[in-house]
Amino acid sequence: DAGITQSPRHKVTETGTPVTLRCHQTENHRYMYWYRQDPGHGLRLIHYSYGVKDTDKGEVSDGYSVSRSKTEDFLLTLESATSSQTSVYFCAISSEGHSTDTQYFGPGTRLTVL
Amino acid sequence: GENVEQHPSTLSVQEGDSAVIKCTYSDSASNYFPWYKQELGKRPQLIIDIRSNVGEKKDQRIAVTLNKTAKHFSLHITETQPEDSAVYFCAASWTGGYNKLIFGAGTRLAVHP
């Protein structure tokens, strides 16, 4: 599974608390992505990274921030969680070059905000 | 903005029948179109992909066709089996590089024995 892990796998938190999700990869992929998955919406891109300390916004970035201080780790932070951020969060990776641009997904994190 | 529409949202077939899922995309610069299968509680898994210089691609019982003029692409599954039951997502590459993808909303396929 492309050496991608996510932690935690499940989390329940309360409105207004900060939450950080971690994506870790072991194969030196350049690109990393955070998605959220909600019924009826498929997978929506939150933020992505194209290198260490290089990140940019996706479709649904409001309320989220990211950081990538090392190639292998991409962190997603909800500064003050809201109930609308209850979702399943997937991290994905891909590499440069034709035929290596496929995205592979991590196992997901189920986040519940009460 | 960029958009991918996927139809139908649900599809029910008898085992052995064929299933077809269709997607349309809005960005004429899109050149990469993967399909993912997601079983309940699992991560999306790539099952087949196609690039803009190819009109059709097959892998055993699965095929994908692409019509760049009409900006639509389709997934065809023949001789369906109960283990094909899952949610299927299409995606299209997003302008601006970095291998970004925009996804359709998904199709829930149920194959009945």
Side-chain angles (χ1 to χ4, degrees), chain A residues 1 4 31 33 35 37 40-43 45 48 50 58-59 90 94-96 98-99 101-107, chain B residues 2 31-32 34 36 38 41-46 49 51 53 89 94 96-106:
Chain A
D1 290 318
I4 312 167
Y31 303 126
Y33 314 84
Y35 292 89
Q37 184 174 40
H41 290 279
L43 293 142
L45 182 65
Y48 64 99
Y50 47 96
E59 303 171 74
F90 285 100
S94 73
S95 294
E96 290 182 274
H98 183 72
S99 82
D101 52 1
T102 302
Q103 287 191 22
Y104 296 96
F105 287 84
Chain B
E2 293 86 353
N31 59 10
Y32 175 61
Y36 289 84
Q38 186 179 29
K42 301 288 183 63
R43 72 188 79 190
Q45 299 265 22
L46 179 76
D49 57 13
R51 299 180 190 277
N53 58 345
F89 294 97
W94 198 358
Y98 305 123
N99 299 345
K100 291 182 294 181
L101 297 174
I102 186 160
F103 284 82

Side-chain angles (χ1 to χ4, degrees), chain A residues 102, chain B residues 4-7 20-24 32-38 44-50 62-65 72-76 88-92 101 103 106-107:
Chain A
T102 302
Chain B
V4 174
E5 292 190 359
Q6 183 171 346
H7 299 281
V20 181
I21 303 169
K22 299 181 180 180
C23 291
T24 60
Y32 175 61
F33 308 91
W35 286 87
Y36 289 84
K37 175 183 180 181
Q38 186 179 29
Q45 299 265 22
L46 179 76
I47 54 171
I48 195 168
D49 57 13
I50 192 167
I62 293 174
V64 57
T65 58
H72 65 71
F73 56 112
S74 300
L75 177 71
H76 304 254
Y88 291 81
F89 294 97
C90 64
L101 297 174
F103 284 82
T107 296

